[in-house]
Amino acid sequence: MTALTTGRTVARTARPFHTHEGAGFPVRRPFPTAELPFVDPFLMIDQVGPIDLAPGEAKGAPPHPHRGFETIQYVLDGDIANADSRGHRAVVRAGGVQWLTAGSGIVHEALPTPEFLASGGRQHMLQIWLNLPARLKGVPPQSQNAEAADLPVAVAPEGAAITVLAGTSHGVTGPFETRTPVLVAHGRLAPGTGAEFTAPTEHNAMVYVMRGEATVAGEHLPDGHLAVLARDGERFTVEAPDTAAEVLVLTGEPIGEPVARSGPFVMNTPAELRQAEHDFRKGLMGRMPV
């Protein structure tokens, strides 16, 4: 494969650490860490699986609150049943996405469907947290959902297949309404293929390797590692020279505001965090229906 033209360079890389979330399901997380607390405007990437589960082994996230940011649940394998304190219910099946704007506050659960729990199977998903600017942290909560068929797929001239969840890349635009300018894309690269992405120089950009190994802006990136790109150009390249790879590409306009976070709340000040905790305890974010 002919090397692609390189614009942006890699500013830093991060390896993931392993932890557990929800009812105890394992996740692989490149950030937040003490060394990399966030990549403005993105707050977190968690990868669950891929893992093959026996009947009865699937776990999810029981009811929990959110305020001040957005969650992007991208289900690659398995089924997730979502419900929230505003009465919204939806099952996200393989290839689908739920984009939840927590805004002023919501209580949410994400559990395996009874059918998936009973049968078992492969579970694989991404959970991405996206910050909201102060002026939008109080917006009413909103849930957007898309099935696999709703997500456009483009084929880059260099051969990679690009599924676009949000923003525009390679001539296609994702179905989700976003509060701030972002690109969320899933690249599937066969050996010897690649893709070139563009982002304004004032936007942050990063590439996370979900599977396999990739070359990002000319630097090798192993499975599970993240490359944060410098703002030294508008273009950057992702390639799979020798083995197949899947990558998550994220770009976004930095919010540039203080970030105060505690568990499920992301605000601008510690006082706002205390208010969020108080409002949740008082039931002001709603309660899950019995």
Side-chain angles (χ1 to χ4, degrees), residues 17 29-34 36-46 66-72 100 102 127-133 137 180 182 204 206 226 250 252 255-268 273:
F17 75 95
R29 178 180 296 166
F31 76 94
T33 63
L36 187 64
F38 63 97
V39 182
D40 197 3
F42 296 95
L43 299 162
M44 186 186 79
I45 299 173
D46 273 0
H66 290 307
R67 173 179 279 181
F69 65 104
E70 301 183 285
T71 69
I72 306 164
L100 178 63
Q127 179 83 190
I128 304 161
W129 285 13
L130 175 62
N131 201 11
L132 287 169
K137 288 187 180 293
T180 58
V182 295
N204 283 326
M206 57 186 151
L226 176 84
L250 300 175
I255 294 170
E257 296 175 353
V259 173
R261 63 194 298 173
S262 176
F265 306 126
V266 182
M267 306 302 293
N268 295 102
L273 287 179

Side-chain angles (χ1 to χ4, degrees), residues 69-75 80-84 86-93 95-103 106 108-109 126-128 130-132 136 139-148 150-151 164-167 173-180 182 184:
F69 65 104
E70 301 183 285
T71 69
I72 306 164
Q73 177 194 87
Y74 182 23
V75 177
I80 299 292
N82 292 286
D84 63 47
R86 295 177 67 88
H88 180 266
R89 293 179 177 272
V91 174
V92 182
R93 305 192 187 278
V97 178
Q98 185 197 59
W99 193 296
L100 178 63
T101 303
I106 197 168
H108 171 252
E109 70 177 19
L126 291 171
Q127 179 83 190
I128 304 161
L130 175 62
N131 201 11
L132 287 169
L136 296 177
V139 299
Q142 178 189 18
S143 179
Q144 303 176 71
N145 291 271
E147 299 178 354
D150 299 322
L151 303 178
V164 179
L165 283 65
T173 299
F176 289 99
E177 173 191 352
T178 67
R179 301 281 180 166
T180 58
V182 295
V184 181

